[in-house]
Amino acid sequence: MAPDDDSFRLPLYCPLIVNGEEGKAASGRQFKRENPADVRQVATIAEQGTLEDARAAIDAARAAFDGNVDNWIYNYKLREQALFRTARLVRDNADRLARVVSLEVGMPMRQAVPHIAAAADIFDFYGGLAGKLYGESFTLPSGSTINLVKEPVGVVGMITPWNFPLTQTARKVAPAIAAGCTIVIKPASYTPAATYELVKLMHQTGLPKGVLNLVPGPGNIVGSEIITNKKVDKISFTGETSTGKMIGAQAGMEVKRVSLELGGKAPYVIFDDADVEAAARAAIFGMFRNAGQACGATTRLLIQEGIHDRFLGRVVELTRKIEVGHPSKPSTDMGPLISSSQERVVQDYIKIGLDAGFDLVTGGHKLSGDEYDHGYYVEPTIFDRVDNASKLGQEEIFGPVVAVTTFRDEDEAVELANAVDFGLVAGVWSADYPRAMRVARRIRAGTVWIWDNYAQPVEGIWGGYKQSGMGRELGYHGLNDFLEVKQIFTDGTGLAMKPPYKQVIKE
Ligand code: NDP
């Protein structure tokens, strides 16, 4: 179905949601999001939130939290129900949500559909945890007790990226709700409608007013206010490392809790005893899913010398079969890039690779003609014989450009894998399991896959070492990120004069 049929009218719209009410920006201004697959079309019109709007949303979230609206903090059943109902609503509306994501991101429908299912699973998982926030209790020899209780961290400001807008939002919102927090979200300006559609569904579950607020608008205005406003207790940010560094520094000035999910430069280590077919297919998925615009994308293929030709040959063969095209076409394997600036960045890196004299083994061009002339389409591109220390080996490109480097032995593989500023994910392929395990332990990354290249189960974790971030999303760890632990000490002695008092009181 084309995205402009009757049941799916364009442009989509993204209002503000403050204190349960949809509304317009205080400035009266709006901004447009073009369709990256066909820039002649306006995909979305969104309200352009202001400082005033951000403050109103923060005030609403603060009041809802401090007033414990509808007993939000203690009535886990209310929160559990909101999460389970959201999961159901997301599944019931999967087709529409997938089309919204596909339209704004340029993500092929074949990838957008499972993306929606993954978001629903996240809501279900945290629905299951909302009623399991048990604390701990301990009795001291004196009879006094220590109770450690878990409490929501408070008002959470969430700033999200555009590349997987539903799962990125779900990974933050679902555990925050399970914990009993209240929320202000600033969505990426490329994907306001995708975020709004999810938040709108969440409001249909009967959320109390003020619990979940949405303010689209510029990062340096709306985002900045969320970060610096003293009424916000915690920032949960996903985006570029450079933005994350600045946000971490600003949040630090207020000793605000902060979690950062940032960029990556994932190595994929292939030893010469690897299953070539399985490893090559996994590599293709990791390299070109969502046109390489993924923090966990496979960006560096580190191949042992003995298997280089065979493995790379198969990877190139599969790469050349990738159909680049309009995201709504069922046959499309790879869609456009998100924007003209991202297209420029990708082309600049291709030029850097050529100027450095690396071997361009496939791709390397902007696509043109027919549908390509109206969107940001670039070929899947692989450079061989790349110096890992070069820009191509070091910097996050966020596009379909992959660097291949060879290694001699296990030590060199680990050294190359770790020789970047990032540490989000990595993959290891070897038939020798003890070796694969050894290497997995030695690579400094938040996730290392063995014989896989993209599994992100909600029961696991997601997060980075080094400059890929701080904190963990998903699983129990993702919930803990939205909780404080409080100690409540209760005297069990009943003594008016306890032995330590003698240090200050003589009689
Ligand atoms: P950006 O850092 O450009 O933007 C992320 C969010 O931050 C957007 O909502 C943006 O708003 C906002 N923002 C920008 N500037 C500021 C500011 N000064 N103050 C407050 N907020 C601001 O990242 P992208 O959206 O381009 O996302 C791509 C990046 O995200 C990649 O580096 C990728 O690796 C990383 N990422 C990491 C993931 C992880 O789990 N580790 C997962 C997914 C992506 P606006 O859109 O209005 O500019």
Side-chain angles (χ1 to χ4, degrees):
M1 227 181 318
D4 51 358
D5 65 27
D6 270 359
S7 64
F8 197 86
R9 285 192 188 283
L10 297 186
L12 301 169
Y13 175 61
C14 174
L16 273 73
I17 303 182
V18 177
N19 209 25
E21 304 293 332
E22 295 196 0
K24 293 187 180 301
S27 61
R29 295 177 66 184
Q30 298 179 323
F31 66 97
K32 287 181 184 162
R33 166 65 180 140
E34 66 189 3
N35 176 354
D38 185 343
V39 296
R40 294 168 298 181
Q41 200 169 42
V42 175
T44 306
I45 291 181
E47 294 297 323
Q48 188 166 321
T50 61
L51 214 69
E52 197 181 334
D53 296 317
R55 286 181 184 153
I58 293 166
D59 285 347
R62 190 76 255 169
F65 187 81
D66 291 346
N68 189 19
V69 59
D70 293 357
N71 198 22
W72 179 246
I73 297 171
Y74 302 110
N75 188 353
Y76 78 85
K77 283 189 177 292
L78 184 58
R79 307 196 313 271
E80 179 185 81
Q81 176 183 293
L83 292 165
F84 285 142
R85 283 187 183 163
T86 301
R88 203 165 52 238
L89 283 168
V90 167
R91 291 193 182 101
D92 289 349
N93 291 276
D95 180 58
R96 179 179 172 83
L97 290 171
R99 292 169 68 193
V100 174
V101 168
S102 174
L103 177 77
E104 284 192 327
V105 179
M107 188 189 291
M109 279 300 280
R110 277 166 50 213
Q111 291 160 30
V113 169
H115 169 64
I116 308 305
D121 288 348
I122 293 170
F123 283 102
D124 262 343
F125 180 82
Y126 286 107
L129 289 188
K132 300 182 181 64
L133 303 179
Y134 296 104
E136 295 165 40
S137 179
F138 188 77
T139 306
L140 297 170
S142 62
S144 299
T145 54
I146 294 168
N147 279 305
L148 302 183
V149 295
K150 293 185 182 169
E151 297 194 337
V153 74
V155 174
V156 184
M158 301 182 175
I159 300 177
T160 55
W162 47 263
N163 59 340
F164 291 94
L166 257 61
T167 47
Q168 296 300 348
T169 307
R171 285 173 180 202
K172 299 181 187 307
V173 169
I177 286 187
C181 297
T182 62
I183 298 162
V184 179
I185 307 178
K186 195 222 86 72
S189 296
Y190 289 130
T191 51
T195 315
Y196 163 64
E197 299 260 342
L198 176 63
V199 171
K200 184 172 70 169
L201 290 180
M202 295 194 71
H203 275 96
Q204 290 172 16
T205 68
L207 284 183
K209 281 182 191 265
V211 158
L212 181 59
N213 305 276
L214 177 74
V215 188
N220 62 357
I221 296 174
V222 176
S224 198
E225 177 60 21
I226 291 173
I227 294 155
T228 50
N229 193 305
K230 287 188 193 308
K231 294 178 188 168
V232 175
D233 297 294
K234 178 186 164 87
I235 302 296
S236 178
F237 170 79
T238 302
E240 281 179 27
T241 292
S242 57
T243 321
K245 283 181 181 174
M246 192 260 301
I247 288 176
Q250 281 183 312
M253 292 303 287
E254 299 294 332
V255 198
K256 211 168 262 193
R257 279 95 189 103
V258 62
S259 24
L260 304 171
E261 295 290 340
L262 309 177
K265 189 73 182 173
Y268 191 61
V269 181
I270 300 104
F271 284 96
D272 56 13
D273 58 353
D275 176 338
V276 167
E277 193 56 30
R281 285 171 186 270
I284 295 292
F285 181 76
M287 296 186 311
F288 303 124
R289 175 182 180 232
N290 204 22
Q293 302 169 120
C295 49
T298 305
T299 54
R300 293 182 296 148
L301 294 181
L302 305 181
I303 310 175
Q304 197 163 18
E305 283 167 351
I307 203 174
H308 170 272
D309 294 356
R310 200 152 65 90
F311 181 71
L312 188 57
R314 183 62 181 138
V315 164
V316 168
E317 199 173 57
L318 288 170
T319 300
R320 291 194 175 132
K321 288 186 182 153
I322 287 175
E323 189 178 321
V324 181
H326 198 285
S328 64
K329 277 197 311 199
S331 60
T332 293
D333 302 313
M334 195 176 105
L337 295 168
I338 190 78
S339 63
S340 59
S341 57
Q342 192 56 26
E343 185 186 87
R344 243 186 339 271
V345 166
V346 168
Q347 285 182 301
D348 285 350
Y349 275 105
I350 291 172
K351 184 166 181 316
I352 286 168
L354 291 170
D355 290 349
F358 303 139
D359 294 351
L360 178 66
V361 288
T362 189
H365 303 102
K366 175 176 166 50
L367 289 156
S368 56
D370 301 331
E371 62 187 307
Y372 297 136
D373 286 341
H374 305 293
Y376 308 120
Y377 296 93
V378 176
E379 284 179 322
T381 299
I382 302 176
F383 280 97
D384 192 13
R385 309 286 167 198
V386 173
D387 175 1
N388 192 66
S390 68
K391 270 176 170 284
L392 223 56
Q394 292 290 307
E395 296 179 5
E396 183 180 51
I397 299 172
F398 227 58
V401 180
V402 175
V404 178
T405 305
T406 52
F407 66 87
R408 284 183 305 278
D409 55 20
E410 191 175 317
D411 282 345
E412 192 182 15
V414 172
E415 193 184 313
L416 287 168
N418 285 336
V420 286
D421 288 337
F422 302 102
L424 187 61
V425 296
V428 183
W429 286 74
S430 169
D432 176 352
Y433 177 69
R435 170 164 73 178
M437 195 52 153
R438 251 188 340 263
V439 171
R441 292 299 301 262
R442 292 176 68 194
I443 293 178
R444 291 179 46 76
T447 292
V448 182
W449 291 291
I450 296 177
W451 308 324
D452 191 65
N453 196 24
Y454 223 89
Q456 299 178 31
V458 61
E459 300 87 346
I461 56 151
W462 188 259
Y465 280 36
K466 302 196 274 182
Q467 293 193 16
S468 287
M470 279 165 59
R472 294 290 179 270
E473 293 190 333
L474 300 178
Y476 272 100
H477 290 269
L479 177 62
N480 288 338
D481 253 19
F482 294 99
L483 292 168
E484 295 274 18
V485 184
K486 177 187 281 175
Q487 168 175 266
I488 302 177
F489 179 93
T490 310
D491 176 67
T493 66
L495 295 172
M497 182 65 186
K498 295 175 193 163
Y501 299 175
K502 288 181 189 155
Q503 296 166 33
V504 180
I505 307 168
K506 289 192 208 58
E507 54 188 65

